[in-house]
Amino acid sequence: MSDLSLLSQPAHIVAPLLLGWEIERTIDNRKIRVKIVETEAYDQTDIASHSYNGQTERTKVMFQESGHLYVYFTYGMHYCCNIVTGSVGEGSAVLLRSVEPLNEYSFLESTRNKKGIEVTNGPAKLCQALKIDRTYNGHNLTQAPLKLIPKTQLPSESIQRTTRIGISKGKETKWRFYIKQNKYVSRQ
DNA sequence: TGCCTGATGTTCT
DNA sequence: GAACATCAGGCAC
């Protein structure tokens, strides 16, 4: 039983807390574990967020209970996944930008047809590696086959805070967080 | 190493 | 009809 109550806080508080947490993804009886090393926060006051213009059919999961997964499809070929945070109706979430595999390396390399850090060092890459698609939109992260596993909080000295990547609006907001010196971080 | 661009579908205006 | 929370491959330097 994992306690995800920390996730009911605002996204920009939760985003650095999630660094170092693990995800357990079960595929064909394999229990794949990865560590979260890079995140970005988005909420309804944020012009770069999907929830900025209010709730729509696509974004409704962002407005639901925290501890669920918000998966969206972008650029015609990629999925990205977010962890919903805050309280119901708040419209906030944390984008997973990169993760570090902890086991099943060769399996992940085969799902991506890539090796090394290229397997999971980007938001769409990690979704492909872990086989996350829109069927997981709204998934409860306390349940298999996709579980979020809380870990002790990292010391603040090991966390770097910067502006976000890959957006055209809201660039000045420093809501990207990553673990310093981790090679899986997409851009240091 | 770093810039440029094509691929491709969903969402919103 | 345009924009898009991206990626990979190609080419120049």
Side-chain angles (χ1 to χ4, degrees):
Chain A
M1 234 334 240
S2 54
D3 177 15
L4 302 184
S5 58
L6 283 177
L7 301 182
S8 62
Q9 300 174 89
H12 65 278
I13 304 292
V14 176
L17 294 180
L18 284 174
L19 297 174
W21 286 31
E22 293 175 14
I23 292 170
E24 184 180 278
R25 173 78 171 107
T26 308
I27 302 173
D28 299 336
N29 292 322
R30 297 168 187 270
K31 284 195 191 302
I32 298 155
R33 289 177 83 103
V34 298
K35 182 169 81 175
I36 298 170
V37 300
E38 183 180 354
T39 58
E40 283 180 3
Y42 291 88
D43 75 18
Q44 203 177 355
T45 65
D46 169 19
I47 193 167
S49 171
H50 290 170
S51 59
Y52 182 73
N53 291 314
Q55 186 173 336
T56 66
E57 185 58 31
R58 175 173 63 150
T59 62
K60 63 184 181 185
V61 173
M62 282 185 81
F63 291 83
Q64 293 173 5
E65 231 181 319
S66 63
H68 291 244
L69 203 61
Y70 167 50
V71 182
Y72 66 89
F73 188 69
T74 191
Y75 290 103
M77 55 181 78
H78 299 300
Y79 293 102
C80 296
C81 70
N82 299 244
I83 293 169
V84 177
T85 65
S87 45
V88 173
E90 196 172 302
S92 69
V94 173
L95 171 70
L96 300 183
R97 280 201 64 88
S98 60
V99 299
E100 175 183 347
L102 300 176
N103 66 357
E104 296 285 359
Y105 300 98
S106 55
F107 176 79
L108 293 171
E109 286 175 355
S110 68
T111 64
R112 284 270 301 137
N113 202 22
K114 293 280 176 185
K115 285 198 184 302
I117 63 169
E118 287 293 316
V119 173
T120 54
N121 69 344
K125 297 178 187 180
L126 69 92
C127 284
Q128 187 189 354
L130 296 174
K131 296 182 186 286
I132 296 172
D133 62 23
R134 78 185 66 198
T135 63
Y136 288 95
N137 192 31
H139 174 76
N140 183 336
L141 288 165
T142 62
Q143 293 173 2
L146 196 56
K147 281 170 138 175
L148 185 61
I149 300 168
K151 294 285 167 181
T152 52
Q153 195 177 337
L154 295 177
S156 57
E157 311 88 74
S158 63
I159 297 175
Q160 182 70 44
R161 173 180 177 166
T162 72
T163 54
R164 291 170 297 181
I165 290 177
I167 52 176
S168 53
K169 302 169 190 162
K171 285 177 177 169
E172 65 289 346
T173 307
K174 290 193 167 183
W175 277 3
R176 172 173 172 254
F177 304 87
Y178 63 83
I179 298 177
K180 287 181 187 173
Q181 318 263 320
N182 187 292
K183 65 179 179 178
Y184 286 89
V185 172
S186 57
R187 203 185 306 169
Q188 306 258 353

